[in-house]
Amino acid sequence: MSAIVVYVEHQESGIKRASLEALGAARTVSDNVVPVLSGAGASEAAAALGGAPVVLTGDAFSPDGLAADLAAVVKENDAKAFLASATSTGKDVAPRVAAMLDSTVFTDCTGIRADGDAYAIVRPWLAGKMIATLRCTAPVLCATLRRNVFEPADVPGGGAPAERPASAGKTVMSALEAKEGGKLDVGEAPVVVSGGRGLKEADNFGIVEELAAAFGNAAVGASRAVVDAGWRPHAEQVGQTGKTVAPQLYVAVGISGAIQHLAGMKTSKVIVAINKDADAPIFKVADYGIVGDAFEVVPALTEAVKKVRAEG
Amino acid sequence: MNIVACVKRVPVTTLQPKVAADGKSIDPTGVEFMISFYDEIAVEEAIRTKEKVGGEVTVLTIGPSAAAKEVRECLAKGADKGIILTDENSNVRDCHATARALADKVKELGAELVFTGKVATDRDNAAVGPMVAAMLGWACVTDATEVEVDGGKATVKREAEGGVEVYTCDLPAVITCQKDLNEPRYAGLKGIMAAKKKPLEEVPCPDVPNQAEVVGLELPPPRPEGRIVGSGADAVPALVDALRNEAKVL
């Protein structure tokens, strides 16, 4: 069976869940999966995977260097597909790998299956306002996969990593200004608590931050209106000109629900809306709504969530 | 410096799209267009770079002749010339076919620096910028929030999940632009008048075989009807109960 190369990311606690999902998706298409890892601690992380992962060794990170190495592994294995998760690194590297293989790329895919000699791909357009099904006839299928969509693969352990030096590239990371400890990105958090103009002013975002902290695994999000007003950084913006998110739970506080915002969060598993205006469009996509003043409802919800979590 | 800004004409973000009769394209009836949001940031960064280091900004697009309207808007803001690689069916081009045509043109123009948006807000591929760079063998930083160009080198900050990554590279390079990079200017009356006299060239876009064929396009299924659990803080216990016992997310 033809090989599939998967770029696998890891962190201190092990293989990233997003990458396990990519491995899971790869295994639904082929039994011959070749994981590739890079960076400090890659060999240890690779050993947990089982099989014969490829480990690129070297301290400096270069996205074009990494892409060249990934393309080389694809060619050596005569692989018919290359997959990565749609993480910030995966999204950056996969198009370069595709170009090096004279292939097109499919990004942020929500479905992938073999279709005769080709592959069928499902991916959103217009930030999820439409869903497209495409047939890939590229020499190599190159794709990134949306998170929280595919079943993560098991990690059997006992892998025998094959190390090789990472190639140098033309673009080199010279520094990383790490985020405040433990702060989750809105694109990867299992719970997102977002605030909008209903909070009236920037300082009032405290109630949103406190609710996010009460959940323990939540990131703070924001509507375009409050990002444009300078209350919150663009990194937190959810919507068509921000991030598309699909967490387990999305809580919209004081967000009326412009079509561009709804496009960016409508595929969340559970949506809660808290808004003063009972006619706000956000209630049309919400599973559960509370009509009321955010300044009364949100602190009460924060206390209730804290209590539930303390009780376990 | 010879700077190119690659832009795409896309439906406005307020569009509530419908599927066309062929079942695989967007119904064009009444669709209005704009330059993709992030490409406006790319054009602004190109103009600012020119204002700092001197040179010329070329706005390059693949699209129908009608894209002249959007390209003129870029010229009105301060870009020097426009090129439309004309393709009335540019919306069926895949990322590879798009990047191939742009890369060849960028090379022919002798560009040293290419700016484009981090993603076009229609197909959401976020791929063409880094693909152009890879095809040309150039350096590339995506999702840039800060760019410094100095003496044939670029230092670029990139917004990533783990924090802000700082990259350095030699030019030529492709940089894709994130929202925080700048605040695009508005075209003044003087600029709009000047733009009418600036060169805007239309050349047929070379055919590149597609490797991705759209076989179906659908609207996402509507979410099942939700419910209002109550009003005010009194409704919080009912909400928490629903999240715990019904939705099982707490």
Side-chain angles (χ1 to χ4, degrees):
Chain A
M1 189 170 275
S2 58
I4 294 191
V5 173
V6 180
Y7 177 57
V8 174
E9 294 175 67
H10 56 94
Q11 53 201 9
E12 265 172 54
S13 53
I15 305 293
K16 280 194 182 178
R17 187 190 153 93
S19 292
L20 293 176
E21 292 170 2
L23 287 167
R27 284 188 197 155
T28 65
V29 191
S30 170
D31 294 330
N32 185 3
V33 177
V34 182
V36 183
L37 296 88
S38 68
S43 289
E44 293 75 7
L49 280 178
V54 176
V55 169
L56 305 167
T57 57
D59 294 332
F61 176 74
S62 164
D64 42 318
L66 174 58
D69 288 331
L70 290 165
V73 175
V74 167
K75 283 182 186 159
E76 286 160 24
N77 286 278
D78 197 17
K80 290 285 168 277
F82 166 72
L83 301 180
S85 177
T87 59
S88 56
T89 303
K91 284 192 272 196
D92 177 278
V93 170
R96 307 179 199 241
V97 175
M100 290 169 184
L101 297 168
D102 292 320
S103 295
T104 195
V105 66
F106 300 83
T107 59
D108 214 19
C109 301
T110 54
I112 168 177
R113 64 185 162 78
D115 176 15
D117 286 345
Y119 290 96
I121 301 292
V122 180
R123 62 180 301 273
W125 280 6
L126 297 159
K129 287 179 193 168
M130 302 187 114
I131 310 293
T133 304
L134 302 119
R135 191 176 145 84
C136 168
T137 53
V140 180
L141 165 73
C142 295
T144 60
L145 308 177
R146 175 168 289 193
R147 295 169 199 223
N148 296 324
V149 172
F150 297 90
E151 278 301 311
D154 296 329
V155 276
E163 294 191 359
R164 59 200 271 177
S167 297
K170 290 183 171 166
T171 321
V172 180
M173 199 201 296
S174 53
L176 173 65
E177 297 163 7
K179 252 187 211 164
E180 288 170 46
K183 219 177 145 192
L184 279 167
D185 186 89
V186 69
E188 57 181 339
V191 177
V192 174
V193 184
S194 282
R197 209 150 27 180
L199 290 164
K200 295 193 179 82
E201 54 185 294
D203 289 348
N204 293 337
F205 244 82
I207 61 168
V208 168
E209 286 173 338
E210 280 159 23
L211 178 54
F215 279 109
N217 56 352
V220 172
S223 71
R224 177 169 180 179
V226 305
V227 171
D228 283 352
W231 298 3
R232 303 300 296 184
H234 178 245
E236 292 178 1
Q237 186 182 321
V238 173
Q240 201 169 355
T241 54
K243 288 186 176 130
T244 301
V245 301
Q248 295 291 305
L249 172 62
Y250 188 89
V251 183
V253 178
I255 292 177
S256 61
I259 181 173
Q260 298 97 323
H261 188 81
L262 299 183
M265 44 66 84
K266 225 163 57 176
T267 57
S268 303
K269 186 164 169 248
V270 176
I271 298 173
V272 170
I274 299 165
N275 204 293
K276 252 169 130 165
D277 176 8
D279 296 324
I282 190 81
F283 286 122
K284 292 212 169 59
V285 301
D287 300 285
Y288 306 108
I290 294 182
V291 180
D293 185 350
F295 300 104
E296 286 169 21
V297 177
V298 175
L301 181 57
T302 303
E303 287 315 308
V305 170
K306 274 188 194 161
K307 207 168 145 230
V308 167
R309 294 198 64 234
E311 287 164 1
Chain B
M1 186 175 295
N2 185 340
I3 306 164
V4 170
C6 293
V7 304
K8 186 176 186 189
R9 177 181 183 260
V10 299
V12 294
T13 56
T14 48
L15 177 73
Q16 183 73 70
K18 294 188 191 77
V19 180
D22 67 1
K24 45 191 184 181
S25 59
I26 300 171
D27 181 352
T29 317
V31 175
E32 289 176 52
F33 293 92
M34 62 187 283
I35 291 259
S36 174
F37 174 81
Y38 296 99
D39 292 343
E40 286 197 26
I41 294 166
V43 170
E44 177 65 28
E45 198 61 25
I47 296 170
R48 286 186 191 192
T49 305
K50 176 188 82 165
E51 286 168 351
K52 216 179 286 169
V53 304
E56 192 179 62
V57 173
T58 304
V59 173
L60 176 62
T61 191
I62 299 178
S65 294
K69 178 178 168 281
E70 284 76 22
V71 174
R72 285 270 178 228
E73 287 168 12
C74 302
L75 300 180
K77 290 178 179 182
D80 300 284
K81 63 176 186 183
I83 299 172
I84 303 173
L85 298 175
T86 51
D87 179 356
E88 296 302 320
N89 292 313
S90 59
N91 55 352
V92 303
R93 262 178 194 265
D94 64 26
C95 303
H96 174 266
T98 303
R100 185 77 263 167
L102 290 174
D104 290 348
K105 193 68 188 174
V106 161
K107 195 174 175 190
E108 181 194 315
L109 290 167
E112 295 153 90
L113 187 54
V114 172
F115 290 105
T116 190
K118 72 154 188 172
V119 62
T121 57
D122 55 351
R123 300 297 162 83
D124 304 330
N125 290 315
V128 169
M131 288 182 89
V132 166
M135 287 171 177
L136 294 169
W138 288 12
C140 174
V141 184
T142 59
D143 306 349
T145 55
E146 221 178 291
V147 176
E148 237 187 84
V149 176
D150 189 18
K153 278 188 190 308
T155 305
V156 183
K157 287 191 177 176
R158 170 176 194 261
E159 181 197 303
E161 279 151 18
V164 176
E165 299 170 350
V166 186
Y167 289 91
T168 48
C169 62
D170 290 332
L171 302 185
V174 176
I175 295 170
T176 79
C177 302
Q178 171 65 296
K179 183 174 180 177
D180 289 341
L181 182 56
N182 62 48
E183 188 73 46
R185 70 192 67 190
Y186 291 97
L189 187 60
K190 232 173 108 181
I192 293 168
M193 296 310 288
K196 292 182 179 170
K197 295 196 185 93
K198 289 181 179 174
L200 201 172
E201 191 188 345
E202 290 186 26
V203 248
C205 190
D207 278 334
V208 181
N210 262 343
Q211 301 175 352
E213 182 203 348
V214 181
V215 292
L217 189 61
E218 297 163 281
L219 297 177
R223 283 185 77 90
E225 190 103 355
R227 66 171 200 267
I228 302 287
V229 296
S231 44
D234 292 346
V236 165
L239 173 63
V240 169
D241 182 63
L243 292 178
R244 255 196 121 171
N245 301 315
E246 207 175 278
K248 302 193 190 308
V249 288
L250 188 62

